[in-house]
Amino acid sequence: MVSEQAYATTEPVRLRSLIWTVFVPVVLYGIGSGAAAPMYALRALDLGASAGVAGIVIALNGLGMVLADLPAGRIVARIGERWAIALGSGLGLVGVLCAIFAPHAGVLAVGMLLNGTASAVWGLARQSYIVAVVPRAGRGRAFSTLAGASRLGSFCGPFIGAGLVYAMGPSGALWLQFTTTVLSGAAMLAIRSADDGDADSSDHTLRSVVVENRRVLGTLGSAALLMGGARAARTALLPLWAAHIGISAAATSLIFGISGAVDVLLSYPGGILLDRYGSRATGVPSMLLFAAGFATLPLTSSSLELAGAAVLLGLANGVSNGIIMTVGADVAPPGQRAEFLGAWRLTHDIGMFAGPIAVGLISAATVLGASALALAAAASAGAIAMHRWFPSAHRAPLTASHLPDMD
């Protein structure tokens, strides 16, 4: 991977030059994942899983990301972003096929693990590539555009997938994800190679990178973890609650689409807030919105009421546009960038794994509504963590010396 210093000696990359090689493929990837996300829970129910087991199966997507984040950093450092994308796409295709043809929930669980692994490699590669080719002054817009592209795809996905779900059941959306994964992976293979210049990377082990940056990962990373939990739990809990109150799969897909529309509309304003006022002013309100959305969910009993709660959660996701990627990019040490970003993503993805697990375990032990209330409390804790540790202006370089003590 080419170092940031190496790119500084060449003409800066314009965002428009990344449209076809980065942003459009991300839209395609988002279309497939957005259409399929609520259908995995329904697929688990179709295979005979209970609501609690379905939540745990969906959480394995997060476990796959957690297990792959650190190795993904080393993979990107070794083979570069371009070939890491190819590897991630291949793993994702196998995962989707496992889910489509699963004879029981166990095979679906394997598919979810592979999907999570693919997401980790894909996400790390594209984030590392943006950090490498876009100067610091343009990263806010770049990550805002990247997140907006993903959310645009996620917004379109449920609407596109609704017709396929109506005709084919939940597997219709999974076939859409298979197709978009092929197209997006092929498109991103055209990115400029960035795999031959980060000489310092091989001097650091994954363990040493984590140890050297443990203070940053323990403070800012705790807030990233709680945000990841809120984001992933939203995807797991909404379709389970929809099924609980008797809403059809097609209607659930449309509700996800409405939530995604709000998400997309808030993406660019969220990026402006991030640029102007910093990650603290953006992160705290987003976590409070997550808390409000989860707290409202147990009060819903109809499609319209559920759509209202979904809109609150969409607002939360939109306001937080690009925040985790931008903070991680600003903190990343130049000579250890790919490995550090893998560790940084790990903090967020542990939350992505824990959120649906919490939904499954709490639902199995009590009732589904209790999961929503627990998630509201966790999101409130995330707001407190971001207020304490996230900077008020992310454009200034961040180091461990700038952080308050964890005590």
Side-chain angles (χ1 to χ4, degrees):
M1 185 180 70
V2 174
S3 68
E4 189 172 352
Q5 291 88 340
Y7 275 105
T9 63
T10 64
E11 182 181 353
V13 170
R14 296 180 181 272
L15 291 186
R16 68 180 62 179
S17 70
L18 302 177
I19 290 176
W20 293 106
T21 55
V22 177
F23 299 136
V24 169
V26 168
V27 171
L28 289 172
Y29 194 86
I31 287 173
S33 59
M39 295 302 112
Y40 281 112
L42 300 182
R43 179 76 176 118
L45 295 177
D46 285 347
L47 292 172
S50 65
V53 172
I56 294 172
V57 169
I58 299 310
L60 293 177
N61 183 76
L63 178 60
M65 289 191 288
V66 167
L67 295 177
D69 274 328
L70 289 177
R74 177 58 71 182
I75 288 169
V76 171
R78 293 289 187 183
I79 68 175
E81 292 84 358
R82 183 185 184 197
W83 295 111
I85 287 289
L87 175 62
S89 298
L91 292 172
L93 292 175
V94 175
V96 174
L97 290 176
C98 284
I100 291 172
F101 295 109
H104 51 75
V107 176
L108 176 61
V110 173
M112 297 306 297
L113 277 171
L114 289 173
N115 281 341
T117 300
S119 295
V121 177
W122 245 86
L124 192 281
R126 71 193 186 194
Q127 182 181 7
S128 179
Y129 185 72
I130 291 291
V131 175
V133 302
V134 177
R136 177 182 292 273
R139 285 180 191 162
R141 289 185 300 119
F143 284 126
S144 175
T145 304
L146 184 69
S150 178
R151 293 173 188 188
L152 176 61
S154 295
F155 160 65
C156 295
F159 289 103
I160 296 172
L164 294 171
V165 171
Y166 180 80
M168 304 170 61
S171 292
L174 305 189
W175 277 116
L176 177 62
Q177 185 181 26
F178 181 91
T179 302
T180 57
T181 299
V182 171
L183 295 175
S184 57
M188 282 205 73
L189 286 178
I191 63 175
R192 184 172 66 181
S193 179
D195 58 1
D196 57 359
D198 199 356
D200 292 338
S201 180
S202 61
D203 297 332
H204 302 275
T205 65
L206 292 175
R207 182 178 183 278
S208 70
V209 171
V210 172
V211 171
E212 290 172 20
N213 296 280
R214 63 188 180 278
R215 193 177 179 198
V216 173
L217 296 171
T219 51
L220 284 82
S222 67
L225 183 151
L226 290 168
M227 176 167 278
R231 287 172 167 172
R234 162 181 170 261
T235 301
L237 185 58
L238 273 176
L240 291 176
W241 187 260
H244 175 70
I245 61 177
I247 295 175
S248 69
T252 300
S253 185
L254 291 176
I255 289 171
F256 260 75
I258 293 169
S259 179
V262 175
D263 193 340
V264 171
L265 289 174
L266 265 290
S267 289
Y268 189 69
I272 293 174
L273 289 174
L274 184 59
D275 280 332
R276 290 185 178 178
Y277 302 109
S279 54
R280 182 188 301 163
T282 306
V284 172
S286 71
M287 293 304 288
L288 292 177
L289 285 168
F290 271 120
F294 286 127
T296 303
L297 195 62
L299 305 177
T300 65
S301 58
S302 67
S303 297
L304 184 61
E305 292 171 347
L306 181 63
V311 164
L312 280 177
L313 294 171
L315 282 169
N317 228 31
V319 170
S320 64
N321 174 50
I323 188 172
I324 299 300
M325 290 187 291
T326 303
V327 172
D330 287 345
V331 178
Q336 310 168 12
R337 182 172 54 250
E339 292 90 343
F340 175 83
L341 289 178
W344 172 251
R345 290 183 63 87
L346 177 62
T347 63
H348 179 265
D349 290 347
I350 286 175
M352 295 278 292
F353 168 61
I357 281 286
V359 171
L361 293 179
I362 296 173
S363 299
T366 56
V367 293
L368 195 58
S371 300
L373 297 179
L375 290 167
S380 299
I384 295 171
M386 289 186 179
H387 183 269
R388 180 174 185 184
W389 286 312
F390 269 31
S392 58
H394 80 272
R395 298 260 50 91
L398 302 174
T399 65
S401 63
H402 295 139
L403 296 172
D405 291 334
M406 294 178 65
D407 299 331

